[in-house]
């Protein structure tokens, strides 16, 4: 099976909820520096990777985010369990029954399970009618603790980060199913691209910054540290599947519009033409409840042409899945785009 899937699997298994993505950022930093690329960590904790090109005056930026959905300890309850506050845009039903890890301020890690308080059908009648919300969901810690003080004595405090078990599986039929394919699939593709460029000795037509962002899930990842020389800005992010969407798990998705509005028409058309010229299977779609680091950069005032494409992710913000065919198509478009000139 393709090495890209193993690269993605490695990334998904690094805990990195928004606000606590340093370990994942450091992994990417060390990976690309070993390849010989220059990097810079921004004040916000994102990672900039510069690849020199022939034209230094008209540059590109391609971003993908390594931060994921997660949670934080909201309260240590009287029963010793933990109330949660969610990080990112998802609902409690997406994480019910999930294994998790609590990372304390002192560096300790404790395992647990996210449960409905009234889980047992042998005790709680009609518990399927109980809302899955912050009043009823809690973390059952895998430690002997009977009350709030005993949990505090473990070193767990309000504000500690909670990460979800990705449960990553690669199937013989070419699927990868996991939490956090949004957007670690894209980060993995950028790592594979940088390795390919280095091995080939390829010189890009334009200097390109690859921006690994660490706050996308909370709305302000790659919206700063953007050079004035950058003309085009691509968010390499998931394609959202569902009813009414033309996209699937076997092609690359090009976004025409999301919840923030239309993407730049000329850049969108350029991506479509690259797919046609290179026989890359693609679909064009609208994601109605979605925004990206490209739209965040625009809102922050950057004067850029913005675009978005990525692999098709089934069941986004829950137990996600995509296929190697979609990843390959996205990699082909990413490579073709990086080697193409900026259109005037």
């Amino acid at each position: 099976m393709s090495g890209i899937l193993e690269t993605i699997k490695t990334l998904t298994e690094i805990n990195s909820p928004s606000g606590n993505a340093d370990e994942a950022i450091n992994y990417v930093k060390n990976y690309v520096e070993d390849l010989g690329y220059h990097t810079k960590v921004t004040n916000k904790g994102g990672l900039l990777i510069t690849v020199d090109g022939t034209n230094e005056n008209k540059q590109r930026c391609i971003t993908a985010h390594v931060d994921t959905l997660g949670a934080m300890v909201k309260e240590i309850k009287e029963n010793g369990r933990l109330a949660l506050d969610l990080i990112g845009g998802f609902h409690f039903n997406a994480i019910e029954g999930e294994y998790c890890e609590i990372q304390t301020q002192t560096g300790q890690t404790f395992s647990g399970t996210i449960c409905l308080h009234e889980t047992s059908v042998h005790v709680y009648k009609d518990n399927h009618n109980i809302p899955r919300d912050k009043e009823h969901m809690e973390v059952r810690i895998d430690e002997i603790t009977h009350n709030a003080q005993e949990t505090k004595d473990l070193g767990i405090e309000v504000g500690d980060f909670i990460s979800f078990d990705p449960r990553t599986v690669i199937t013989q039929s070419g699927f990868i199913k996991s939490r956090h394919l949004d957007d670690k699939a894209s980060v993995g593709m950028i790592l594979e691209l940088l390795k390919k460029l280095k091995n080939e000795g390829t010189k890009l037509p334009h200097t390109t910054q690859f921006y690994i962002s660490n706050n996308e899930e909370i709305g302000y990842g790659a919206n700063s540290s953007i050079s004035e020389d950058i003309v085009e800005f691509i968010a390499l992010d998931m394609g959202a599947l569902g009813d009414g969407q033309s996209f699937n798990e076997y092609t690359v998705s090009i976004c025409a519009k999301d919840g923030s509005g239309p993407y730049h028409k000329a850049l969108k058309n350029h991506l479509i033409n690259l797919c046609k010229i290179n026989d890359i299977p693609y679909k064009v779609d609208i994601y109605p409840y979605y925004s990206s680091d490209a739209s965040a950069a625009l809102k922050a005032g950057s004067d850029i042409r913005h675009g978005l494409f990525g692999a098709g992710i089934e069941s986004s913000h829950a137990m996600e899945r995509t296929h190697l065919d979609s990843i390959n198509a996205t990699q082909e478009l990413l490579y073709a785009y990086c080697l193409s000139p900026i259109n005037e």
Side-chain angles (χ1 to χ4, degrees), residues 19-90:
N20 193 32
D22 291 351
E23 184 180 352
I25 288 289
N26 287 335
Y27 175 85
V28 176
K29 181 176 185 291
N30 292 334
Y31 186 104
V32 299
E33 286 182 350
D34 286 345
L35 292 173
Y37 292 104
H38 173 72
T39 69
K40 176 185 176 182
V41 177
T42 70
N43 291 331
K44 288 197 299 185
L47 181 68
L48 293 171
I49 306 156
T50 301
V51 180
D52 293 331
T54 303
N55 189 329
E56 298 180 355
N57 297 320
K58 293 183 178 181
Q59 300 184 9
R60 287 181 163 128
C61 181
I62 300 172
T63 182
H65 65 92
V66 78
D67 64 305
T68 70
L69 306 175
M72 189 174 276
V73 176
K74 170 67 172 64
E75 174 191 356
I76 301 175
K77 303 172 74 172
E78 286 304 313
N79 63 3
R81 297 187 179 190
L82 308 176
L84 304 89
D85 197 51
L86 303 182
I87 298 173
F90 65 108

Side-chain angles (χ1 to χ4, degrees), residues 115-118 130-138:
C115 302
L116 179 71
H117 178 80
E118 304 89 345
I130 296 171
R132 273 56 178 171
D133 58 21
K134 62 183 179 181
E135 305 300 327
H136 296 274
M137 301 294 290
E138 61 190 17

Side-chain angles (χ1 to χ4, degrees), residues 21-305:
D22 291 351
E23 184 180 352
I25 288 289
N26 287 335
Y27 175 85
V28 176
K29 181 176 185 291
N30 292 334
Y31 186 104
V32 299
E33 286 182 350
D34 286 345
L35 292 173
Y37 292 104
H38 173 72
T39 69
K40 176 185 176 182
V41 177
T42 70
N43 291 331
K44 288 197 299 185
L47 181 68
L48 293 171
I49 306 156
T50 301
V51 180
D52 293 331
T54 303
N55 189 329
E56 298 180 355
N57 297 320
K58 293 183 178 181
Q59 300 184 9
R60 287 181 163 128
C61 181
I62 300 172
T63 182
H65 65 92
V66 78
D67 64 305
T68 70
L69 306 175
M72 189 174 276
V73 176
K74 170 67 172 64
E75 174 191 356
I76 301 175
K77 303 172 74 172
E78 286 304 313
N79 63 3
R81 297 187 179 190
L82 308 176
L84 304 89
D85 197 51
L86 303 182
I87 298 173
F90 65 108
H91 301 287
F92 277 101
N93 66 290
I95 58 171
E96 182 176 3
E98 190 59 88
Y99 294 162
C100 64
E101 289 187 340
I102 305 101
Q103 296 172 300
T104 72
Q105 296 175 24
T106 57
Q108 296 173 285
T109 300
F110 296 95
S111 65
T113 305
I114 300 169
C115 302
L116 179 71
H117 178 80
E118 304 89 345
T119 290
S120 177
V121 297
H122 299 97
V123 177
Y124 301 99
K125 183 181 179 182
D126 297 329
N127 70 341
H128 59 282
N129 291 323
I130 296 171
R132 273 56 178 171
D133 58 21
K134 62 183 179 181
E135 305 300 327
H136 296 274
M137 301 294 290
E138 61 190 17
V139 175
R140 181 184 67 198
I141 309 166
D142 298 327
E143 299 291 333
I144 300 173
T145 173
H146 304 92
N147 54 55
Q149 188 57 53
E150 288 180 353
T151 297
K152 291 178 181 178
D153 290 344
L154 294 171
I156 296 173
E157 299 286 350
V158 171
D160 288 343
F161 284 93
I162 298 170
S163 301
F164 310 143
D165 185 347
R167 291 195 279 152
T168 310
V169 173
I170 299 170
T171 74
Q172 288 299 314
S173 52
F175 289 101
I176 180 168
K177 53 183 184 178
S178 176
R179 292 193 183 276
H180 314 321
L181 295 179
D182 171 23
D183 187 34
K184 290 184 173 180
S186 298
V187 176
M189 285 185 264
I190 285 177
L191 294 184
E192 291 293 310
L193 171 72
L194 293 174
K195 184 167 63 175
K196 178 181 175 69
L197 294 176
K198 184 63 65 171
N199 290 340
E200 292 178 345
T202 300
K203 183 80 168 182
L204 297 181
H206 298 273
T207 294
T208 302
Q209 282 194 344
F210 293 88
Y211 194 154
I212 308 301
S213 115
N214 62 331
N215 286 299
E216 193 275 348
E217 293 293 357
I218 51 178
Y220 57 91
N223 67 348
S224 61
S225 305
I226 300 169
S227 168
E228 292 183 357
D229 294 323
I230 289 173
V231 176
E232 293 182 348
F233 189 106
I234 292 287
L236 190 66
D237 210 335
M238 66 167 185
L241 277 64
D243 293 342
Q245 303 295 100
S246 65
F247 191 40
N248 55 46
E249 295 172 85
Y250 314 105
T251 58
V252 60
S253 176
I254 298 171
C255 183
K257 176 183 179 294
D258 66 12
S260 67
Y263 281 75
H264 192 276
K265 183 177 73 172
L267 183 51
K268 178 201 69 177
N269 291 342
H270 178 55
L271 296 173
I272 292 171
N273 288 334
L274 286 172
C275 288
K276 292 178 178 178
I277 292 168
N278 294 280
D279 294 322
I280 301 169
Y282 76 96
K283 299 285 186 181
V284 179
D285 246 322
I286 291 173
Y287 314 148
Y289 311 111
Y290 187 114
S291 64
S292 73
D293 271 336
S295 47
L298 277 184
K299 289 178 181 177
S302 294
D303 183 17
I304 52 173
R305 304 169 192 163

